[in-house]
Amino acid sequence: MAFSNKNVNFTRLTLVPRLQQSQGLRRGLTKNMALSLDNCDLGHENKNGVVHPATDSYAAEAVEALKAGKVIAVPTDTLYGFACDACSLEAVNRIYEIKGRRHTSPLAICVGDVSDIKRFAVTDHLPHGLLDSLLPGPVTIVLRRGESSVLERSLNPGFDSIGVRVPDCNFIRIIARGSGTALALTSANLSGQPSSVCIKDFENLWEHCAFVYDGGLLPSGPAGSTVVDLTSPHKYKILRPGSAKEETVAILEKHSFIEEVNT
């Protein structure tokens, strides 16, 4: 996922089917992730002990790896991603190396709960309940970092905005909470290559991860998350339509937001 102050272009990470507004943009895909293993049979491939199931019993192990500055691969609510401690410059650099990605393409962050967002980005200008209506779900919210952000300035230096995700996936949210910080999160693939819906899709990159957590075959597609800029009060700008544009726009307009049009 990448973004800039003017235009945001995020590496594909998330896609879910049409979501119901009555539950925000939540879908509850965790069970499907754990069940769809037909096309991701591990078998003999876990010979180095790198691959583990994405279950609660492995969450503590994942948290320790993150705290040690390691990169792990995890399922999200839709696609697989590489994750690390967003405040570890060494770990962030490692993600860029694994993906073969230019450092001029910033990373977005993932947090465990909507209430955590205010630690890393400016939310005071947003109406009460808006973020809870949009998240967890397949939406990337672009906000100003502000002076009070606890994010290390070494993450995306020179950028005053940050893309924030709260995936609708229990495993990644548990490890984000356990880490006590934000996770840098980007799609588990080489830059420019198709996104991964199964761990076999990025098997050639397993060796670069401390652990790979298998959530099965994920029900995703190419649209990715809907990316929306909410840096301006009462205005929104859709930076990428993604998989939930209609639902996102409906929620924003319900909160009296108007679309910001480029002039």
Side-chain angles (χ1 to χ4, degrees):
M1 292 184 286
F3 54 91
S4 65
N5 296 341
K6 297 293 185 180
N7 297 297
V8 178
N9 179 22
F10 283 78
T11 301
R12 285 183 276 181
L13 182 61
T14 53
L15 174 72
V16 295
R18 184 178 180 85
L19 304 167
Q20 301 202 358
Q21 243 189 77
S22 61
Q23 299 177 0
L25 297 180
R26 303 175 186 183
R27 234 338 245 189
L29 297 173
T30 307
K31 291 182 180 179
N32 292 339
M33 290 163 45
L35 295 175
S36 302
L37 293 168
D38 291 346
N39 295 325
C40 293
D41 181 26
L42 298 180
H44 63 280
E45 293 174 303
N46 192 16
K47 51 190 174 185
N48 295 322
V50 173
V51 180
H52 294 152
T55 58
D56 291 359
S57 58
Y58 286 95
E61 170 192 83
V63 170
E64 288 306 307
L66 291 168
K67 289 183 176 180
K70 306 296 184 180
V71 173
I72 62 175
V74 292
T76 69
D77 41 5
T78 50
L79 298 179
Y80 281 86
F82 292 131
C84 73
D85 180 349
C87 293
S88 169
L89 180 59
E90 181 180 355
V92 169
N93 286 337
R94 184 65 177 147
I95 279 186
Y96 279 107
E97 292 173 3
I98 294 172
K99 288 181 63 68
R101 182 175 179 174
R102 294 181 301 170
H103 282 70
T104 52
S105 299
L107 299 175
I109 62 170
C110 163
V111 296
D113 295 285
V114 175
S115 59
D116 295 326
I117 296 177
K118 62 180 179 292
R119 295 176 56 204
F120 306 98
V122 177
T123 62
D124 295 345
H125 62 296
L126 300 177
H128 178 73
L130 175 62
L131 291 178
D132 287 305
S133 297
L134 293 169
L135 301 168
V139 183
T140 300
I141 307 296
V142 179
L143 297 165
R144 296 190 311 278
R145 288 170 64 139
E147 294 301 320
S148 62
S149 174
V150 300
L151 280 176
E152 293 285 342
R153 289 298 167 182
S154 58
L155 177 70
N156 306 337
F159 291 85
D160 60 10
S161 61
I162 188 75
V164 186
R165 283 231 54 212
V166 185
D168 186 12
C169 170
N170 284 340
F171 185 74
I172 192 170
R173 293 180 66 192
I174 288 171
I175 63 177
R177 292 180 192 124
S179 72
T181 185
L183 306 183
L185 183 65
T186 186
S187 55
N189 60 340
L190 291 173
S191 288
Q193 297 300 308
S195 299
S196 300
V197 298
C198 171
I199 63 169
K200 281 188 176 181
D201 290 344
F202 60 100
E203 185 175 4
N204 59 321
L205 301 177
W206 290 3
E207 63 181 306
H208 302 296
C209 301
F211 298 105
V212 174
Y213 294 99
D214 184 20
L217 181 64
L218 307 182
S220 72
S225 63
T226 295
V227 182
V228 57
D229 187 331
L230 297 181
T231 56
S232 299
H234 307 296
K235 294 182 180 180
Y236 72 90
K237 184 187 296 183
I238 299 294
L239 301 174
R240 186 177 72 191
S243 59
K245 178 184 176 182
E246 291 183 16
E247 295 88 342
T248 300
V249 169
I251 290 172
L252 291 169
E253 293 183 348
K254 181 180 178 180
H255 286 82
S256 301
F257 273 63
I258 61 174
E259 185 171 10
E260 187 174 358
V261 180
N262 292 326
T263 56

